[in-house]
Amino acid sequence: MSPHPLHRPVWNALDSSWSPLAQGDSRAMRIDPRYGPFAAAADHSAAAQAALAALVPKEGEAWIVEPDPPTPPPGTRLIREAMLVQMVAEDISGDASSFASVILTEEDAAEMRALALMTKPGPFLPLTHRLGRFIGIREQGRLIAMAGERMRMPGFAEVSGVCTHPDHRGRGHARRLMQTVARTMLERGETPFLHAYAAHEATVALYRTLGFRLRAPMHMMVIAAA
């Protein structure tokens, strides 16, 4: 039986929808660092691990997301690691039909990155906003919340970049944005999935109320050049 497409999400994204942005070869790949920090080795062989190490930028990081605890390849050093939960949704609960959001475009890129750097929903590099469709909420012309898409592979799309300005939290913005983003994926025939820090129990609980269920625990490791 073939592994589930989400068993190795980074590798499978790089080998499919992210392939135009992929750097490396059959031994290891990473996404263009302008778009994100994600990288993966084909397997645990010495050749693949050496190829992965070679893709870690001299100044910067590589993020590894795997089902089994990864080990920093020779020539790299561990920056941090964490447990994640990978969640999927076959349906999305709740009604956001009266919710007014706007589709974010290239003109919004600077504001999107500023909001992401302030709230830290995950890595958001200068061109991350081009990885998929993002929507947002504006008040008095200012972007106060957003959500969008990141990894994609045949049949699956990742909800990502969900964040709200600290001054506007507690009003349900994240919930409604996620409902809209995930429903759009379902309408395209894709299953929405996401990753969250396992220790953020309140966040995981929110995702459950939207219809997401736990698919698998995942390990996240951030490495840099030694």
Side-chain angles (χ1 to χ4, degrees):
M1 181 181 296
S2 299
H4 192 283
L6 296 180
H7 182 65
R8 300 195 65 211
V10 176
W11 179 262
N12 287 330
L14 287 164
D15 198 36
S16 57
S17 296
W18 277 1
S19 60
L21 305 174
Q23 300 177 350
D25 54 32
S26 60
R27 299 169 301 166
M29 291 187 285
R30 69 155 297 147
I31 191 171
D32 181 327
R34 298 173 299 168
Y35 289 80
F38 296 98
D43 52 44
H44 296 296
S45 68
Q49 294 301 307
L52 176 60
L55 292 173
V56 178
K58 297 287 190 228
E59 301 292 335
E61 301 173 339
W63 289 45
I64 317 297
V65 178
E66 297 286 354
D68 301 316
T71 301
T76 69
R77 57 189 172 88
L78 179 67
I79 301 297
R80 61 187 177 278
E81 57 187 341
M83 285 297 301
L84 306 178
V85 291
Q86 184 184 83
M87 307 179 77
V88 296
E90 285 79 24
D91 192 18
I92 296 296
S93 61
D95 181 16
S97 59
S98 61
F99 165 61
S101 62
V102 295
I103 297 175
L104 300 175
T105 69
E106 197 69 30
E107 295 180 355
D108 304 300
E111 272 191 284
M112 295 169 70
R113 184 158 158 77
L115 182 61
L117 291 177
M118 175 192 295
T119 57
K120 296 179 170 47
F124 206 95
L125 282 293
L127 298 184
T128 298
H129 64 280
R130 296 184 183 176
L131 291 176
R133 179 178 179 269
F134 277 80
I135 61 173
I137 302 172
R138 288 189 174 278
E139 283 194 1
Q140 299 179 342
R142 179 187 181 192
L143 183 65
I144 63 167
M146 69 176 183
E149 306 169 355
R150 185 170 60 188
M151 295 183 207
R152 179 176 283 109
M153 61 207 72
F156 296 89
E158 182 189 26
V159 180
S160 185
V162 182
C163 54
T164 303
H165 191 285
D167 294 342
H168 298 272
R169 289 175 179 164
R171 297 165 57 188
H173 292 327
R175 169 186 290 275
R176 290 191 289 270
L177 286 168
M178 290 184 67
Q179 286 172 328
T180 302
V181 169
R183 284 213 177 99
T184 298
M185 293 171 176
L186 289 167
E187 290 167 2
R188 293 196 306 242
E190 297 170 315
T191 297
F193 73 99
L194 57 80
H195 294 98
Y197 289 106
H200 294 180
E201 296 180 359
T203 301
V204 174
L206 167 64
Y207 296 160
R208 288 185 184 277
T209 67
L210 293 173
F212 284 88
R213 61 173 177 81
L214 177 66
R215 197 202 76 81
M218 303 293 286
H219 297 261
M220 184 271 285
M221 173 179 73
V222 180
I223 57 176

